[in-house]
Amino acid sequence: MSTPLLRVVPDRAATTVADQVATLDLVARAGDRRPYVITNFAITLDGHATIDGRSGPIGSDADTAMLVGLRTRVDAVMIGAGTMRAERYGRVIGDPAKRQRRERDGLAHDPLMVIVSGRLDLPWDAPLFTEGHGRVLIATSSDDQPPPTETPVRVLRQAEGIDLSALMTHLRTERGVRALLCEGGPRLHAQLIDADLVDELFVTQAAKLAGGVGPGLVSGLEEVVRPLELAWLLVEERTGELFGRYALAPG
Ligand SMILES: NC(=O)c1ccc[n+]([C@@H]2O[C@H](COP(=O)([O-])OP(=O)(O)OC[C@H]3O[C@@H](n4cnc5c(N)ncnc54)[C@H](OP(=O)(O)O)[C@@H]3O)[C@@H](O)[C@H]2O)c1
């Protein structure tokens, strides 16, 4: 978290991921009907969100620190089933000091992990399910039952595909989620953007080219132009990575 960064927008100053993340009071921005929603992605200069089918090779340690830092500022983290299958998540926040810091800031020890899945075909042997930490909510249109897991898993069923707007309302009004971080993947992100459910994007642009046919930030969207407002731009001078924070105006 202490990697030195240069902030070039909105002003020019030395900073770190920890200093930047500490300024975020996301839960205070919750609406009545849905959480304040931010998303986080790492992309290559040519716009790919995967290298060899994974996101890990794209970003540096500073990118990981940004992702973990954002997790410390929200009530819930959301991913699609494709991301869970590719990335095989473990405990959302592994560092006990960061979990204690969450409690001091009025947040639950562990964020609620929300997984959106049509088929309920998930890697049940992944540490998120087997280690018994935190809580998981799976929104699915499958009638199947999940297998027994060490980590408490609740299932929310909706027929014929998950209505993400209804899911957000459920999370806000029934589960008390004030701020939510969506970590992808591209297909879930595209639907959230399309449904005007995203308030801000945090995007790491790696100084790398990937080529190939990997997805971008959003997959499956009709061509659409959505202007974004740059709220901050940070540079990791050693790796050439750029960290952008963008506000998305309602469409
Ligand atoms: N660069 C980055 O920052 C980043 C971030 C995240 C992921 N990734 C990469 O992205 C790739 C995965 O991409 P993806 O687009 O397939 O992932 P995804 O959006 O996480 O998952 C897609 C799956 O989510 C479920 N889903 C999404 N919307 C749904 C809805 N409205 N109703 C019901 N189910 C819904 C479906 O699951 P079922 O299959 O269960 O029906 C669908 O197949 C992986 O390679 C991952 O590493 C990169």
Side-chain angles (χ1 to χ4, degrees):
M1 288 278 270
S2 59
T3 310
L5 300 173
L6 174 65
R7 186 173 64 229
V8 291
V9 173
D11 56 345
R12 197 175 171 89
T15 187
T16 64
V17 170
D19 286 348
Q20 291 298 129
V21 165
T23 65
L24 298 173
D25 190 7
L26 302 172
V27 295
R29 298 182 177 213
D32 291 339
R33 301 300 297 166
R34 71 164 172 85
Y36 193 75
V37 175
I38 65 169
T39 68
N40 181 238
F41 271 88
I43 57 166
T44 62
L45 187 60
D46 52 338
H48 292 289
T50 60
I51 295 177
D52 261 349
R54 301 281 308 275
S55 58
I58 297 175
S60 70
D61 291 349
D63 173 55
T64 305
M66 180 63 78
L67 177 66
V68 174
L70 294 174
R71 289 175 178 178
T72 67
R73 311 304 293 162
V74 295
D75 294 313
V77 171
M78 174 187 276
I79 54 172
T83 298
M84 185 63 202
R85 285 190 287 264
E87 308 289 346
R88 297 178 56 84
Y89 275 51
R91 190 172 194 168
V92 181
I93 297 177
D95 179 354
K98 290 194 178 65
R99 294 197 297 271
Q100 281 164 10
R101 169 77 200 271
R102 283 175 58 84
E103 287 189 325
R104 285 201 298 277
D105 290 342
L107 299 169
H109 206 56
D110 291 279
L112 173 68
M113 186 76 208
V114 182
I115 303 176
V116 180
S117 172
R119 298 175 286 134
L120 212 56
D121 172 18
L122 296 171
W124 301 108
D125 58 345
L128 177 70
F129 296 121
T130 60
E131 289 183 348
H133 303 299
R135 298 157 297 144
V136 179
L137 174 71
I138 303 176
T140 186
S141 26
S142 166
D143 291 330
D144 291 347
Q145 292 297 328
T149 52
E150 281 300 316
T151 307
V153 171
R154 303 278 297 269
V155 177
L156 179 71
R157 293 184 202 280
Q158 277 181 13
E160 294 169 25
I162 304 302
D163 175 340
L164 296 171
S165 181
L167 174 58
M168 290 296 180
T169 301
H170 172 86
L171 290 171
R172 179 74 195 101
T173 60
E174 307 291 322
R175 310 269 168 166
V177 175
R178 296 161 296 175
L180 178 142
L181 165 65
C182 176
E183 300 183 2
R187 282 187 285 166
L188 178 62
H189 195 217
Q191 296 170 67
L192 291 173
I193 298 275
D194 200 36
D196 277 333
L197 293 171
V198 177
D199 297 294
E200 295 191 48
L201 285 74
F202 289 78
V203 181
T204 303
Q205 185 182 290
K208 280 177 195 167
L209 296 168
V213 293
L217 267 187
V218 287
S219 286
L221 261 190
E222 294 289 311
E223 187 174 281
V224 62
V225 179
R226 297 293 305 272
L228 303 170
E229 188 178 317
L230 183 63
W232 77 34
L233 182 64
L234 319 173
V235 184
E236 216 279 55
E237 293 180 278
R238 190 179 53 85
T239 59
E241 243 169 8
L242 305 181
F243 295 86
R245 174 187 179 192
Y246 301 90
L248 184 65

